[in-house]
Amino acid sequence: MKRLLALSFVICHLSFSVAQINPIIPGYHPDPSICRVGADYYLVNSSFQYFPGVPIFHSTDLQHWTQIGNVLTRSSQLPLPDATSWTGIYAPTLRHHNGTFYMITTNVGQRGNFMVTATRPEGPWSEPIWLEQQGIDPSLYFEGDKCYMVSNPDNTITLCEIDPATGRQLTKSHPIWQGTGGRWPEGPHIYKKDGYYYLLISEGGTELAHSITMGRSKNIYGPYEANPQNPILTHCSRKGQDSQIQGTGHGDLVQDAEGRWWLTFLAYRNYGGSYHHLGRETFLAPVEWPQGGWPVVNGGEPIEPRQREPISQRDDFDRQLGPEWMYLQNPDSTHYWLHDGRLRLVGSLSSLKDNQRPTFVGRRQEAACFSFETKIDFYDLADEDEAGLAVYQMHEGHVQACIGVVRDQLQVRLRLNLKNVSTVLSSRSIGFQPQVWLRVTSNSKNYVFYYSTDGKDYHKLDEVDCTLLSTETVGGFTGVTLGLYAHKGGITHQAGDSFAEFDYVEYKEMKE
């Protein structure tokens, strides 16, 4: 019996010492930061041009995560005028101290670094507390009554002490480390263990050469000595070069209730060669950290993908939209209505390509193989008005399956937008149907678009290679989102003259 109990303990320990699901939060969820409060873990991600900003997740086992909200839910917290996939909210850090949650981040293109606070992770969160020290990827470290802030102005990890209640900087900004020589040292986090201050950073840029390195010092202000085994995580190596997972970096450490250490970090999965379109995702790896020594991530071995069970979600629009739904920039609330189990979208004068608060609401694509379907009713469409679904990477890279009026003819069209090129790949005249169903599927290689006029028989429009919507092709820091949109294209009409109503959205994942 004792042997059986011992074996059971070993099996349980082993099952928890490796990540059973990876990525743990799939799809466009970059720059993870994590903290533990008792038996609960909380994690946040960057959000760039999307509103609301900074999704926050909860878990009790580090493997299964549920989005419990968003940190930045008011325009006063998150101004996003003209924001793109290159700007907006960069990497956040989440910390908990003396009963208060702190989230610190950068709004690139606006006022820079700020933090917000809350007593509950679900919020509400405070108005922004703006900070003096700049540089992206700010982080907080609490020690006793002191609160330290680190960020990377001038490509140098820089430390200062601040008042966490007011954000007032209490000491001068002090350069403490420039890393090991890799470009763009960023994403700093400080931890104290065994009498050392450990400084975790990322180097190499958030692309193929991304890596995580570490230094340590007996004094928080340095000097910091580099780990002789740096980088502690990268796939830009002989061991990791053939992995589907690449761009490993930007990590944050957490210790579980049993004293074991874990690393959350971002990486992306390649499809169709050296291309990624799902965005940078959140991964997890076990860490061995001997007393007085340096941490070793995943036993020094590459990270392997382990697919989660496919999910299926249907939204009948009979209640408030869930926290997974997002808008581009700050939405005009008069263009979005929920009533009688339908979502009404009022056409904006801005197209998705124009990127000036277009009427769009979407969710992240979290699996390479999926289907996404909706049913649309149309009202008072004029020439050049349109509405439909969009597979959206950024304003310079997206595909629209839409219904519109062209010279008094109702058409279903498929349009590809890449940089300065916009082309209609396929169009069908369908008469004046009161309702139309649109669907997009993917097998990880191609997006395939369909339409139906009765919800039973679907007709193929065309397909688009997924690599055309990859970061390598169109750029940006985000990943594909799947959404609904409406556009007022007629130059002789005012926005709001026409609208579309969406009856439901169904998102289903399939195994690869």
Side-chain angles (χ1 to χ4, degrees):
M1 178 61 70
K2 289 182 178 180
R3 288 183 179 180
L4 287 174
L5 289 173
L7 180 60
S8 174
F9 172 81
V10 170
I11 291 173
C12 290
H13 179 78
L14 288 174
S15 68
F16 198 71
S17 65
V18 296
Q20 298 168 350
I21 301 170
N22 249 336
I24 54 171
I25 306 179
Y28 146 55
H29 291 99
D31 306 316
S33 178
I34 191 171
C35 72
R36 178 174 67 88
V37 182
D40 298 291
Y41 301 89
Y42 300 97
L43 186 148
V44 292
N45 299 105
S46 53
S47 51
F48 296 90
Q49 79 272 39
Y50 287 98
F51 184 95
V54 187
I56 183 165
F57 293 85
H58 170 256
S59 176
T60 57
D61 63 3
L62 290 171
Q63 288 287 298
H64 303 89
W65 294 84
T66 301
Q67 187 175 354
I68 58 175
N70 294 275
V71 174
L72 306 174
T73 59
R74 304 185 298 276
S75 291
S76 58
Q77 298 169 309
L78 182 56
L80 292 170
D82 303 314
T84 71
S85 183
W86 300 103
T87 62
I89 295 297
Y90 275 35
T93 295
L94 181 67
R95 294 294 183 257
H96 182 264
H97 180 70
N98 286 345
T100 298
F101 287 91
Y102 296 81
M103 191 283 296
I104 182 172
T105 188
T106 312
N107 190 339
V108 174
Q110 296 301 306
R111 292 178 58 184
N113 289 333
F114 68 96
M115 66 179 178
V116 291
T117 63
T119 56
R120 299 171 63 249
E122 300 89 346
W125 290 76
S126 72
E127 288 298 297
I129 301 168
W130 296 98
L131 303 166
E132 178 182 337
Q133 182 171 292
Q134 293 302 302
I136 62 169
D137 305 351
S139 179
L140 297 175
Y141 169 71
F142 291 91
E143 186 171 44
D145 295 330
K146 293 183 179 291
C147 177
Y148 296 93
M149 170 187 169
V150 281
S151 57
N152 76 332
D154 301 319
N155 279 317
T156 302
I157 308 304
T158 300
L159 175 77
C160 69
E161 186 181 343
I162 66 170
D163 180 341
T166 66
R168 184 169 67 92
Q169 189 164 321
L170 303 178
T171 64
K172 291 183 178 180
S173 297
H174 185 84
I176 59 174
W177 203 38
Q178 288 189 310
T180 64
R183 64 176 180 171
W184 299 326
E186 58 193 13
H189 296 299
I190 292 176
Y191 317 88
K192 193 170 187 181
K193 184 178 182 295
D194 307 329
Y196 285 99
Y197 294 94
Y198 286 87
L199 176 59
L200 186 79
I201 73 167
S202 294
E203 302 183 50
T206 187
E207 298 127 4
L208 191 62
H210 212 23
S211 65
I212 297 177
T213 59
M214 179 174 269
R216 71 180 183 184
S217 173
K218 291 284 189 178
N219 188 320
I220 195 169
Y221 286 99
Y224 282 80
E225 63 168 318
N227 180 354
Q229 302 302 315
N230 275 329
I232 63 172
L233 177 63
T234 187
H235 275 198
C236 192
S237 62
R238 285 194 298 272
K239 281 188 175 182
Q241 65 184 357
D242 295 325
S243 174
Q244 181 195 28
I245 298 172
Q246 293 297 326
T248 54
H250 202 106
D252 195 8
L253 289 158
V254 68
Q255 192 174 23
D256 66 24
E258 287 72 37
R260 296 170 296 210
W261 287 90
W262 299 85
L263 178 75
T264 56
F265 60 97
L266 69 76
Y268 56 81
R269 289 178 288 168
N270 281 333
Y271 292 93
S274 298
Y275 298 90
H276 74 282
H277 60 287
L278 298 186
R280 298 168 298 159
E281 306 172 291
T282 293
F283 290 76
L284 178 74
V287 176
E288 297 174 6
W289 200 343
Q291 184 172 359
W294 297 97
V296 176
V297 178
N298 203 45
E301 296 301 315
I303 311 301
E304 296 295 332
R306 294 183 174 87
Q307 188 177 4
R308 73 177 183 187
E309 285 299 311
I311 64 170
S312 178
Q313 296 176 328
R314 181 182 172 100
D315 198 324
D316 289 302
F317 301 127
D318 53 0
R319 66 191 71 183
Q320 183 178 355
L321 294 180
E324 72 275 13
W325 288 97
M326 309 176 294
Y327 307 89
L328 289 167
Q329 304 166 344
N330 301 99
D332 181 343
S333 62
T334 65
H335 286 204
Y336 304 87
W337 299 86
L338 283 171
H339 73 104
D340 297 330
R342 293 186 174 190
L343 172 63
R344 175 179 293 184
L345 297 186
V346 178
S348 166
L349 290 173
S350 171
S351 70
L352 295 179
K353 190 175 180 65
D354 294 332
N355 197 46
Q356 294 295 317
R357 298 173 74 193
T359 299
F360 170 92
V361 59
R363 52 156 300 148
R364 295 161 176 86
Q365 178 187 338
E366 297 180 5
C369 301
F370 74 95
S371 69
F372 181 78
E373 177 183 292
T374 189
K375 175 187 172 187
I376 316 174
D377 291 321
F378 299 91
Y379 298 86
D380 299 325
L381 286 181
D383 258 8
E384 300 183 40
D385 293 351
E386 63 180 46
L389 65 81
V391 178
Y392 185 91
Q393 174 69 257
M394 63 184 301
H395 70 286
E396 294 185 319
H398 56 273
V399 185
Q400 297 160 275
C402 60
I403 310 300
V405 176
V406 178
R407 295 184 293 275
D408 295 326
Q409 292 291 318
L410 194 63
Q411 290 186 349
V412 56
R413 298 191 295 267
L414 186 66
R415 183 188 301 112
L416 173 64
N417 299 273
L418 285 180
K419 301 295 185 180
N420 295 322
V421 177
S422 180
T423 181
V424 174
L425 300 177
S426 180
S427 65
R428 304 281 192 277
S429 293
I430 57 174
F432 284 92
Q433 303 290 335
Q435 301 169 329
V436 179
W437 286 255
L438 295 174
R439 176 189 293 168
V440 58
T441 67
S442 178
N443 58 4
S444 82
K445 297 179 181 179
N446 297 291
Y447 292 109
V448 186
F449 296 84
Y450 304 87
Y451 74 95
S452 173
T453 57
D454 61 8
K456 298 176 182 178
D457 296 321
Y458 280 81
H459 311 281
K460 180 179 176 180
L461 271 170
D462 210 333
E463 56 188 67
V464 175
D465 191 314
C466 292
T467 64
L468 292 179
L469 297 187
S470 68
T471 298
E472 288 74 17
T473 301
V474 299
F477 289 135
T478 53
V480 168
T481 56
L482 308 169
L484 314 174
Y485 81 98
H487 173 47
K488 184 66 185 175
I491 59 174
T492 61
H493 298 81
Q494 297 296 315
D497 288 345
S498 64
F499 59 88
E501 289 191 338
F502 296 81
D503 191 58
Y504 69 91
V505 160
E506 191 167 54
Y507 172 77
K508 293 182 179 180
E509 297 177 352
M510 287 80 78
K511 286 189 175 181
E512 296 177 24

